[in-house]
Amino acid sequence: MAATGFTAGRAAASTAAITGTKIRNLTGPAETGAFAAPWTDLGIPARCPDGTMLFVCGDTFDGAGVGDRDWRAPVGLRARHPDVDHLVIDDSVGGAHAVGLVPESHENNTTAIPSDVFTVGGTMYMHLMRGVLYQTHHSDFWRSTDNGQTWQYLCQWPGDQYGGQFQQKTYAVADDGYCYVLSTVFNRDVASDLLLHRVRQDQLGNPAAYQPWGYANGAWAWGNYPTTITGRRRWGEICFRAMGGKYALTWLNMEPLSMRAQIFALPTSNLFTTPEQTIIVPTTPGNESGNAVASPYGGFIVPGSTFADFDITVSQWYDAQNYWVMQYRINGLAV
């Protein structure tokens, strides 16, 4: 149930004239086959401390298509010169064979799906959802102090915490010493709240330091039991970023299918009334143009984006040979 401190229901869709353009494929046989990663998805981008850009991908395969051979997850693909106008993946963690970034045997079809990767100072952080797809046993958290080449385990959270609504997490790195964390269930078929926490940037690996935002006794406050900050829905991937003096949330909306964005002033802004702006719309294979994409998912904000030129990574998967990550540029966001 929606907290009564904010207006219940969904925010109205914006009437802004939003347009989009596919810039390029970032992964695929021609783009990342040289790293034994022709088939991969997600591509969560993070600016590394050394200035390169790491794209952390999910289930990755070599061979003729999805599921053929050499299943790894997650993997790290790198653009050594991360200009958003000329993004080219020209390296990987592992060189000619992109390696799994953390131990994951895929025994009994378990996997390690990344939900976020981000950088604080000289340290990178990665959040993973572990278990059979959409049956998250736990999520865990890792850090790297060498630009994503090696990763050290920090902590984990049980998959059933807050009724499963702490499985999928995304982090906005603020300039006040905190990271603000949004979370949902990781299952596109299940309706979920959207929960907000904050954690000091020097306590990211301490689960006890994550402070929930909730409505109780007539007021919102940090430390209350977490309550949803927007309308309950079926969420796909989510991405939360501090940028341009504001905050941006993008997500895969399952019903109706689209990618959406909200731009707001504070992590605690009222998302019940913040306009939802549609940035990617669905179409069928062969009928793609502008911001219409067949079988879209993901939608992670590319570092270096602005609200005027808003770049995201969009994944696509509709058969075994159409499974990759693309770069799209969105124009016309209302801020």
Side-chain angles (χ1 to χ4, degrees):
M1 179 177 294
T4 57
F6 283 154
T7 302
R10 299 284 177 85
S14 171
T15 58
I18 293 176
T19 60
T21 305
K22 179 179 176 178
I23 304 299
R24 60 180 58 84
N25 283 352
L26 292 169
T27 71
E31 292 77 15
T32 51
F35 311 114
W39 316 110
T40 192
D41 72 349
L42 299 181
I44 305 172
R47 185 69 60 88
C48 302
D50 67 357
T52 63
M53 191 176 297
L54 191 69
F55 295 84
V56 174
C57 300
D59 292 326
T60 300
F61 304 90
D62 200 359
V66 175
D68 185 2
R69 64 171 185 261
D70 198 9
W71 182 10
R72 291 146 285 157
V75 304
L77 304 174
R78 191 181 304 278
R80 288 179 287 188
H81 305 285
D83 179 350
V84 293
D85 292 323
H86 305 93
L87 270 184
V88 175
I89 290 173
D90 54 5
D91 197 6
S92 85
V93 178
H97 183 270
V99 297
L101 298 180
V102 303
E104 174 53 67
S105 67
H106 301 297
E107 184 178 0
N108 298 320
N109 286 318
T110 62
T111 191
I113 300 298
S115 73
D116 210 359
V117 185
F118 61 97
T119 300
V120 178
T123 303
M124 301 185 73
Y125 295 91
M126 175 172 63
H127 181 267
L128 302 174
M129 301 169 293
R130 309 296 289 263
V132 176
L133 187 66
Y134 298 152
Q135 300 175 36
T136 302
H137 177 269
H138 69 275
S139 60
D140 53 23
F141 202 50
W142 301 72
R143 73 177 172 197
S144 172
T145 55
D146 58 5
N147 301 293
Q149 289 296 116
T150 60
W151 295 86
Q152 297 81 47
Y153 171 83
L154 287 174
C155 64
Q156 70 178 49
W157 295 268
D160 60 358
Q161 186 167 344
Y162 301 130
Q165 296 173 141
F166 211 46
Q167 294 172 352
Q168 179 173 230
K169 301 183 190 68
T170 179
Y171 291 70
V173 182
D175 59 7
D176 61 359
Y178 283 93
C179 284
Y180 293 90
V181 189
L182 294 179
S183 67
T184 69
V185 167
F186 179 53
N187 186 333
R188 296 176 186 169
D189 296 328
V190 174
S192 172
D193 292 341
L194 182 69
L195 304 182
L196 172 65
H197 286 70
R198 69 177 182 180
V199 58
R200 292 201 60 83
Q201 292 169 13
D202 60 1
Q203 293 290 311
L204 280 161
N206 176 10
Y210 284 64
Q211 189 176 28
W213 175 251
Y215 186 79
N217 302 316
W220 287 87
W222 295 108
N224 286 342
Y225 190 84
T227 46
T228 191
I229 62 168
T230 192
R232 188 176 178 86
R233 73 184 74 203
R234 291 162 50 205
W235 300 88
E237 291 73 28
I238 55 176
C239 180
F240 188 33
R241 296 291 183 258
M243 57 180 289
K246 297 186 178 183
Y247 290 84
L249 167 64
T250 59
W251 73 94
L252 177 66
N253 197 76
M254 295 308 301
E255 193 176 7
L257 181 64
S258 59
M259 284 183 189
R260 298 186 180 184
Q262 286 178 300
I263 312 299
F264 42 95
L266 299 169
T268 54
S269 291
N270 185 349
L271 300 193
F272 285 99
T273 58
T274 300
E276 297 181 6
Q277 305 185 61
T278 298
I279 56 176
I280 295 289
V281 298
T283 188
T284 53
N287 293 305
E288 297 172 301
S289 64
N291 64 340
V293 182
S295 302
Y297 61 105
F300 300 96
I301 300 167
V302 177
S305 293
T306 66
F307 290 124
D309 289 306
F310 194 71
D311 287 50
I312 57 175
T313 60
V314 177
S315 292
Q316 180 177 60
W317 182 16
Y318 57 81
D319 63 31
Q321 282 78 41
N322 287 274
Y323 177 70
W324 41 50
V325 181
M326 305 170 288
Q327 178 188 358
Y328 272 77
R329 181 161 297 162
I330 306 301
N331 300 110
L333 279 177
V335 296

